[in-house]
């Protein structure tokens, strides 16, 4: 599927204007002389349109791409008829799909780990997870399913079908990371809305800093909150996002550059645990490239220049000459389709799994504490996620928090959840940096043995 979308996107970006039409898309997505169902082709075309519009600056080309989705049913019937008469002869592409064997291997490993917990207090939880895992038909799993990649997510059926105590125990690391509730923040947010120049969050911060999960004192939390609110003030002054009509015309790149990155910088400035930096150049992930480089010789011969995934933003740190990726961010435009949201969600947990596997090969940070963060921006919604490994090395994926973007002053109810989310993000990064530094110092004396590649299942490749 990814290859087909890439083909269509290449057509949009590099093909002649005359070739940009729905008929060409049908031709590109065919399998030999077999034409795919109209529903599937429409889905591929929609995803390619969404991914390419942000990269097209030429007005005429942009209009041609937008017209593609209006030329579907009649053209499809005509092409099907033409194919029935004379066929669209071509040699079918050979699909190299090793995902099934990788999925089977991951499931065997996961069942083995669940059958022999390394921590005694995991016994009951693992028994429940193993029973639920056995109820899943392995043949129905694909590379897009977390369970096929050895990930147990908090919203999966494996967890939803646990008993109350087992579920509470599974979610304990997530609750520890979420820190205290900002129950008194609403009135302060309303004050911020009413008085554009006042911040006044001192009382709110004072009410929450005594919780042991927060790693900074009142003064530091107040400084961070002040920066976040100043950034929100800047968003409200940005004419490009003043109205829903204006927001809908902005590209993904503008959204990331003008809003997402400033909010992240505000929350991460002046961290107590050392230098950290944001990469916004869509550079390839080191962790992803490392995993792809460990693929089979057959795959490497097809993709000679292996390229890792390219998140929209990465938060990175450097320690003792080594660079580590601690956060991945995937964003859509302000207007987000369901297919884009679903694709980014899958891409994000795959990136975090590669990231924690990369760190694990360099050191052994504390289980159930250290995690790789994934932030998804889907339209006006922000989702904060984290992937950690438990004592047995099983990846657990948690959805920590979510909030909506307060684009305008008439959405005051969105300010409180966003500040809360960003404070949790900052706190998590402080913990993760400290745990990483400690683990690397220990690894200098005792390097980790029996390193393992990421269990991320390889998506199908075409020759």
């Amino acid at each position: 599927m990814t290859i087909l979308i890439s083909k269509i996107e290449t057509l949009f970006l590099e093909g002649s204007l005359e070739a940009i039409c729905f008929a060409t898309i049908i031709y590109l997505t065919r399998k030999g002389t077999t034409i795919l169902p109209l529903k599937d082709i429409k889905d591929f075309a929609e995803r390619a349109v969404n991914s390419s519009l942000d990269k097209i600056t030429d007005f005429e080309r942009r209009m041609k791409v937008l017209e593609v989705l209006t030329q579907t049913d009649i053209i499809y019937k005509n092409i099907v008829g033409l194919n029935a008469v004379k066929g669209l002869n071509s040699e079918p592409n050979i699909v190299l799909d090793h995902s099934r064997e990788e999925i089977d291997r991951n499931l065997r490993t996961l069942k083995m780990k669940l059958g022999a917990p390394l921590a005694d207090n995991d016994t009951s939880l693992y028994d429940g997870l193993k029973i639920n895992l056995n109820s899943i038909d392995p043949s129905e799993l694909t590379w897009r399913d977390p369970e096929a990649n050895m990930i147990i997510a908090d919203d999966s059926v494996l967890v939803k079908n646990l008993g109350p105590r087992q579920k509470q125990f599974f979610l304990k690391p997530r609750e520890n990371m979420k820190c205290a509730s900002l129950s008194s923040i609403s009135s302060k947010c309303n004050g911020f809305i009413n008085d554009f120049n006042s911040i006044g969050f001192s009382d709110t911060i004072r009410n929450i800093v005594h919780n042991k999960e927060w790693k900074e004192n009142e003064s530091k939390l107040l400084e961070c909150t002040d920066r976040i609110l100043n950034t929100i003030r800047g968003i409200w002054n940005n004419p490009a996002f003043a109205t829903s009509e204006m927001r809908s015309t902005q590209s993904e790149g503008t959204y990331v550059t003008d809003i997402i990155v400033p909010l992240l910088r505000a929350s991460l400035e002046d961290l107590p645990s050392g230098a950290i930096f944001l990469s916004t150049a869509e550079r390839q992930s080191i962790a992803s490239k490392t995993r792809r480089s460990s693929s089979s010789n057959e795959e490497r011969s097809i993709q000679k220049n292996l390229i890792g995934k390219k998140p929209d933003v990465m938060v990175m740190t450097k320690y003792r000459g080594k660079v580590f990726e601690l956060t991945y961010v995937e964003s859509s435009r302000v207007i987000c389709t369901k297919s884009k949201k679903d694709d980014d969600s899958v891409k994000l947990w795959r990136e975090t799994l590669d990231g924690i596997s990369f760190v694990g090969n360099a050191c052994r940070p504390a289980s159930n504490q250290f995690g790789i963060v994934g932030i998804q921006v889907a339209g006006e919604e922000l989702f904060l996620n984290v992937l950690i490994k438990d004592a047995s090395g099983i990846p657990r994926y948690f959805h920590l928090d979510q909030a909506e973007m307060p684009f305008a002053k008439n959405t005051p109810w969105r300010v409180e959840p966003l500040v809360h989310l960003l404070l949790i993000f900052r706190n998590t990064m402080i913990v993760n940096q400290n745990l990483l530094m400690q683990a690397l110092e220990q690894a200098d004396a005792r390097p980790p043995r029996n390193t393992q590649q990421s269990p991320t299942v390889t998506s199908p490749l075409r020759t």
Side-chain angles (χ1 to χ4, degrees):
M1 179 183 69
T2 304
I3 301 298
L4 294 180
I5 297 172
S6 177
K7 282 185 177 181
I8 302 171
E9 184 176 343
T10 300
L11 167 68
F12 292 161
L13 298 177
E14 302 175 8
S16 65
L17 294 181
E18 293 77 10
I20 299 177
C21 64
F22 195 70
T24 308
I25 294 175
I26 296 173
Y27 183 81
L28 290 174
T29 57
R30 75 200 188 287
K31 295 183 177 180
T33 58
T34 302
I35 296 177
L36 296 178
L38 176 59
K39 178 179 177 297
D40 293 345
I41 300 176
K42 280 184 175 180
D43 182 55
F44 295 147
E46 179 183 343
R47 297 187 188 200
V49 168
N50 290 332
S51 62
S52 61
L53 281 179
D54 294 335
K55 305 172 186 177
I56 300 174
T57 57
D58 179 74
F59 178 79
E60 188 176 2
R61 180 175 292 272
R62 188 180 181 87
M63 290 299 100
K64 287 286 289 185
V65 170
L66 288 171
E67 290 174 0
V68 163
L69 297 178
T70 66
Q71 315 165 344
T72 56
D73 294 36
I74 295 177
I75 291 178
Y76 181 80
K77 291 178 182 179
N78 291 339
I79 296 295
V80 170
L82 176 63
N83 189 50
V85 174
K86 56 188 293 187
L88 301 173
N89 297 317
S90 67
E91 291 296 325
N93 290 333
I94 300 174
V95 179
L96 292 178
D97 188 356
H98 299 292
S99 61
R100 178 48 50 193
E101 56 193 73
E102 293 180 24
I103 291 172
D104 292 340
R105 181 172 64 247
N106 282 345
L107 290 177
R108 288 194 300 270
T109 302
L110 180 56
K111 289 179 180 179
M112 179 189 70
K113 288 179 178 290
L114 292 175
L118 296 182
D120 292 339
N121 53 5
D122 281 335
T123 302
S124 175
L125 171 63
Y126 278 24
D127 287 342
L129 290 172
K130 190 172 182 180
I131 291 173
N132 294 339
L133 181 62
N134 288 332
S135 66
I136 295 178
D137 184 356
S139 65
E140 295 182 356
L141 295 177
T142 72
W143 63 274
R144 292 175 62 90
D145 294 304
E147 298 84 356
N149 296 263
M150 284 185 60
I151 294 176
I152 300 178
D154 58 2
D155 61 352
S156 71
V157 294
L158 299 182
V159 175
K160 289 180 178 179
N161 292 335
L162 289 172
R165 290 187 177 180
Q166 292 172 325
K167 185 181 299 183
Q168 183 180 13
F169 187 77
F170 178 88
L171 296 176
K172 186 176 180 180
R174 185 187 74 175
E175 300 310 313
N176 289 342
M177 289 186 176
K178 290 178 70 173
C179 304
S181 172
L182 304 184
S183 58
S184 63
I185 203 171
S186 296
S187 60
K188 299 298 181 182
C189 288
N190 287 332
F192 169 68
I193 301 300
N194 295 330
D195 183 356
F196 195 75
N197 296 314
S198 69
I199 301 302
F201 266 64
S202 300
D203 293 339
T204 295
I205 300 302
R206 189 174 294 109
N207 289 334
I208 66 173
V209 295
H210 298 297
N211 185 281
K212 64 179 181 179
E213 300 300 336
W214 293 100
K215 306 304 178 185
E216 294 180 293
N217 59 27
E218 176 182 347
S219 175
K220 284 295 184 181
L221 288 175
L222 181 57
E223 288 178 14
C224 183
T225 303
D226 185 44
R227 289 194 300 270
I228 294 172
L229 292 175
N230 280 331
T231 304
I232 294 175
R233 179 185 288 110
I235 293 172
W236 290 348
N237 286 330
N238 190 335
F241 296 90
T243 66
S244 58
E245 290 78 15
M246 290 295 297
R247 293 193 287 270
S248 66
T249 63
Q250 303 307 318
S251 68
E252 175 186 317
T254 301
Y255 192 12
V256 170
T257 302
D258 287 6
I259 294 184
I260 306 304
V261 169
L263 286 170
L264 295 179
R265 291 194 190 281
S267 64
L268 295 178
E269 184 177 327
D270 195 26
L271 286 177
S273 43
I276 199 166
F277 58 96
L278 273 68
S279 171
T280 59
E282 283 200 84
R283 59 183 290 176
Q284 62 178 313
S285 162
I286 299 172
S288 178
K289 184 177 181 180
T290 299
R291 191 257 302 174
R292 289 180 178 230
S293 297
S294 63
S295 59
S296 67
N297 291 332
E298 186 178 14
E299 290 167 356
R300 286 199 297 268
S301 65
I302 294 172
Q303 290 191 336
K304 295 181 180 179
N305 297 318
L306 288 165
I307 299 176
K309 286 183 171 58
K310 296 181 178 180
D312 294 317
V313 182
M314 286 188 287
V315 178
M316 312 168 81
T317 188
K318 189 173 184 179
Y319 189 68
R320 296 194 175 184
K322 299 178 180 178
V323 175
F324 296 93
E325 301 158 355
L326 300 181
T327 300
Y328 302 98
V329 181
E330 294 295 342
S331 178
S332 70
R333 300 164 62 222
V334 177
I335 303 299
C336 180
T337 63
K338 183 180 184 304
S339 60
K340 170 67 173 173
K341 182 178 179 180
D342 292 343
D343 286 348
D344 278 358
S345 176
V346 172
K347 184 180 178 183
L348 196 59
W349 60 250
R350 286 168 66 85
E351 289 167 343
T352 59
L353 182 56
D354 286 344
I356 204 165
S357 300
F358 182 83
V359 171
N361 286 333
C363 59
R364 291 287 187 269
S367 62
N368 283 322
Q369 297 180 52
F370 176 84
I372 302 295
V373 175
I375 298 177
Q376 182 178 2
V377 184
E380 299 187 10
E381 295 181 291
L382 283 80
F383 300 88
L384 179 65
N385 313 291
V386 66
L387 187 141
I388 68 173
K389 284 190 175 182
D390 64 14
S392 297
I394 298 176
R396 301 187 190 182
Y397 194 63
F398 297 108
H399 300 79
L400 294 182
D401 205 1
Q402 69 183 77
E404 292 180 294
M405 190 65 65
F407 286 111
K409 286 195 291 183
N410 62 0
T411 56
W413 61 88
R414 294 186 176 187
V415 174
E416 171 190 342
L418 179 62
V419 171
H420 190 201
L421 183 150
L422 292 173
L423 288 178
I424 293 175
F425 173 51
R426 177 182 176 86
N427 198 73
T428 303
M429 295 304 295
I430 293 172
V431 173
N432 286 343
Q433 272 196 290
N434 287 328
L435 292 174
L436 178 62
M437 291 177 185
Q438 294 172 16
L440 285 170
E441 290 173 357
Q442 295 173 1
D444 284 345
R446 299 182 61 184
R449 295 181 295 175
N450 302 321
T451 58
Q452 299 176 349
Q453 70 180 71
S454 171
T456 307
V457 176
T458 306
S459 54
L461 301 172
R462 287 184 181 271
T463 58

